[in-house]
């Protein structure tokens, strides 16, 4: 699916940092250094704000740590966080706003693949690097014909630290068929770029394995009354529901199924694997979700991130994409570091395009493991995790590396 307490959302101004110097792509501050802004685009209000605020805070933490460690000598990082409300139109407006601010040398986000579609061309035209911690729609990096085997990268400036639905959907299908022993699935999606794409890749793998799709339905993301679909699922003989979409609809859907006596698990992707899903559905015991990467809480590489996040005092949890958001911001910081080092300690006049090239080459040990990007700008980390709701919490059920 793809997403900073220092700044008031959408209101950070460069004038507070010193005079603007568009030629350098960053402002010179009074201390003789250069201020570089990292933009953040995510849903900071609305149904998906729990995920968006986790993204925002994690980028904030990366910026704080970079400044404290003087990661890029002579450069001070700041953030500019904008709210897209999980909708493409505000996302497009935010992209235009971020491009117009010459001090912005990279953007972390967005959360939603549909929002990313509205932003990619704007960022690419401006040579402004974009690293999403959450987008999983395959076409964003591999082009619309990827499923037929024709993979063409549409935008050089687009990267992501989350793996794609070409991996996530089949991973879920293999778990449900081979491990959970579910052979009959009712497939539902919310018709958005993320949900529909995830459902499609799940279906392709599940049927290839020998599974049977006993029914298919489409809902709207804002739907909350699923009585008609519940009736169809109940009569279908399904032993599981797979939902392509996000937790605001998935929670009520699962609850209504359980209330109707349909005692089968609902499984979804990373857009479902949130504590908010459990809050919306007190009967979610046994429901399942995949998430990109391995459980942050179980990664030794994430221990400092978790400790630092707690010490920072953020009132909102880092949620599903926190570690990936930190790594996305750090990739941009490392890109800036490489560009500055190659230009005698200063930002060149074409800093944005050079940062794009530098991010393509980054490789470092991050919160979520090794961070690097392939020829499409996709993460080289293909690890995933299956979670199950147990006693009111998401617990790791299985994990592994997907081998196509």
């Amino acid at each position: 699916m793809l997403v900073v307490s220092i700044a008031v959302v959408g209101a950070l101004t460069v004038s507070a940092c010193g005079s603007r110097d568009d030629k350098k792509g960053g402002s010179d501050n009074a201390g003789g250094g250069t201020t570089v802004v990292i933009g953040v685009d995510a849903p900071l209000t609305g149904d998906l704000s729990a995920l968006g605020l986790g993204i925002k805070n994690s980028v904030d933490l990366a910026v704080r740590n970079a400044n404290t460690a003087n990661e890029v000598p002579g450069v001070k990082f700041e953030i500019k966080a904008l709210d897209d409300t999980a909708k493409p139109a505000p996302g497009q407006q935010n992209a235009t706003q971020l491009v117009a601010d010459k001090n912005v040398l990279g953007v972390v986000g967005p959360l939603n693949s549909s929002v990313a579609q509205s932003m990619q061309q704007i960022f690419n035209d401006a040579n402004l690097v974009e690293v999403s911690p959450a987008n999983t729609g395959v076409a964003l990096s591999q082009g619309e014909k990827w499923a037929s085997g024709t993979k063409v990268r549409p935008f050089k400036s687009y990267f992501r630290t989350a793996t794609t639905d070409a991996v996530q959907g089949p991973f879920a299908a293999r778990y449900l068929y081979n491990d959970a022993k579910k052979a009959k699935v009712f497939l539902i999606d919310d018709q958005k770029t993320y949900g529909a794409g995830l459902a499609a890749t799940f279906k392709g793998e599940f049927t290839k394995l020998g599974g049977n799709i006993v029914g298919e339905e489409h809902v709207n993301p804002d739907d909350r009354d699923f009585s008609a679909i519940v009736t169809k699922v109940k009569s279908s003989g399904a032993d599981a529901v797979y939902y392509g979409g996000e937790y605001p609809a998935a929670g009520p859907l699962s609850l209504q199924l359980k209330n109707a006596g349909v005692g089968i698990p609902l499984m979804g992707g990373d857009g479902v694997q949130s504590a908010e899903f459990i809050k919306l559905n007190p009967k979610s015991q046994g429901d399942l979700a995949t998430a990109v990467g391995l459980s942050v809480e179980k990664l030794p590489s994430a221990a400092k991130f978790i400790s630092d996040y707690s010490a920072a005092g953020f009132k909102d949890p880092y949620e599903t994409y926190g570690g990936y958001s930190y790594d996305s911001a750090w990739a941009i910081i490392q890109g800036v570091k490489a560009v500055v080092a190659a230009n005698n300690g200063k930002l060149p006049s074409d800093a944005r395009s050079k940062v794009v090239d530098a991010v393509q080459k980054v490789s470092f040990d991050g919160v979520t493991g090794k961070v690097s990007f392939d020829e499409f700008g996709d993460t080289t980390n293909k690890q995933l995790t299956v979670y199950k709701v147990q006693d009111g919490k998401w617990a790791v059920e299985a994990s592994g590396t997907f081998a196509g």
Side-chain angles (χ1 to χ4, degrees):
M1 274 198 40
L2 332 309
V3 204
V4 270
S5 303
I6 296 173
V8 176
V9 173
L12 184 85
T13 58
V14 177
S15 58
C17 308
S19 61
R20 183 187 291 271
D21 184 352
D22 288 349
K23 291 183 179 180
K24 289 187 176 182
S27 63
D28 289 336
N29 57 46
T34 299
T35 297
V36 168
V37 177
I38 295 179
V40 181
D41 178 87
L44 305 178
T45 59
D47 287 343
L48 292 171
S49 60
L51 298 178
L53 291 169
I55 291 172
K56 166 180 159 301
N57 293 342
S58 300
V59 175
D60 183 357
L61 183 61
V63 165
R64 294 185 190 190
N65 285 349
N67 289 336
T68 299
N70 195 26
E71 184 68 20
V72 185
V75 172
K76 175 189 174 185
F77 291 95
E78 294 187 353
I79 54 152
K80 182 170 187 172
L82 302 179
D83 182 10
D84 63 26
T85 67
K87 293 182 173 61
Q92 188 174 61
Q93 293 166 4
N94 291 346
T96 300
Q97 183 177 339
L98 291 166
V99 163
D101 185 343
K102 299 300 183 183
N103 294 318
V104 177
L105 293 189
V107 178
V108 176
L111 169 71
N112 306 86
S113 294
S114 55
V115 175
Q117 286 180 315
S118 74
M119 308 174 86
Q120 286 180 301
Q121 188 71 60
I122 296 169
F123 287 141
N124 202 69
D125 288 348
N127 292 313
L128 182 58
V129 72
E130 171 190 13
V131 187
S132 173
N135 294 162
T136 56
V138 189
L140 295 171
S141 58
Q142 299 180 23
E144 295 295 338
K145 297 181 179 180
W146 68 270
S148 65
T150 302
K151 298 179 181 181
V152 178
R153 185 176 185 176
F155 302 104
K156 180 182 178 181
S157 64
Y158 178 82
F159 299 83
R160 52 178 147 202
T161 54
T163 195
T164 74
D165 291 332
V167 175
Q168 184 174 203
F171 185 80
R174 291 183 187 183
Y175 171 81
L176 210 54
Y177 187 82
N178 294 327
D179 298 289
K181 306 300 181 184
K182 306 296 184 184
K184 296 181 291 183
V185 166
F186 198 103
L187 189 64
I188 305 169
D189 73 75
D190 66 0
Q191 305 179 80
K192 290 169 65 176
T193 302
Y194 163 72
L198 184 59
T201 58
F202 171 89
K203 179 181 178 181
E205 184 71 13
F206 191 73
T207 53
K208 186 169 73 174
L209 291 169
N212 185 18
I213 302 296
V214 296
E216 291 187 61
E217 285 293 331
H218 308 286
V219 300
N220 293 315
D222 296 329
D223 286 351
R224 297 295 180 266
D225 180 1
F226 301 104
S227 53
I229 289 179
V230 167
T231 299
K232 291 180 180 180
V233 174
K234 193 171 186 177
S235 63
S236 71
D239 48 25
V241 168
Y242 188 82
Y243 179 72
E246 296 147 333
Y247 66 78
L253 170 60
S254 178
L255 179 59
Q256 290 169 42
L257 285 165
K258 307 296 193 295
N259 284 340
V262 185
I264 60 176
L266 178 143
M267 187 176 197
D270 54 316
V272 170
Q273 200 266 313
S274 166
E276 296 299 310
F277 173 82
I278 299 172
K279 291 179 182 178
L280 291 169
N281 180 11
K283 296 183 179 180
S284 56
Q285 179 84 0
D287 282 347
L288 301 156
T290 51
V292 294
L294 302 181
S295 171
V296 169
E297 290 75 16
K298 295 185 180 297
L299 287 172
S301 58
K304 187 177 186 300
F305 165 74
I306 294 172
S307 175
D308 287 352
Y309 195 96
S310 177
F314 298 115
K315 72 181 184 69
D316 301 291
Y318 52 80
E319 272 282 356
T320 304
Y321 305 107
Y324 297 93
S325 302
Y326 188 101
D327 285 347
S328 294
W330 206 255
I332 294 170
I333 291 166
Q334 293 306 301
V336 172
K337 183 177 182 177
V339 169
V340 168
N343 194 52
N344 298 317
K346 296 181 180 180
L347 285 172
S349 59
D350 57 347
R352 281 184 172 176
S353 61
K354 279 190 165 57
V355 170
V356 170
D357 293 336
V359 169
Q360 180 68 61
K361 300 174 185 176
V362 299
S363 179
F364 60 91
D365 294 322
V367 173
T368 59
K370 177 66 73 175
V371 177
S372 60
F373 304 102
D374 67 15
E375 68 270 29
F376 301 103
D378 288 332
T379 178
T380 56
N381 184 346
K382 309 299 184 186
Q383 295 175 313
L384 297 102
T385 301
V386 175
Y387 291 87
K388 178 186 281 189
V389 179
Q390 295 180 2
D391 301 322
K393 295 181 180 180
W394 288 108
V396 173
E397 182 73 5
S399 60
T401 300
F402 183 82

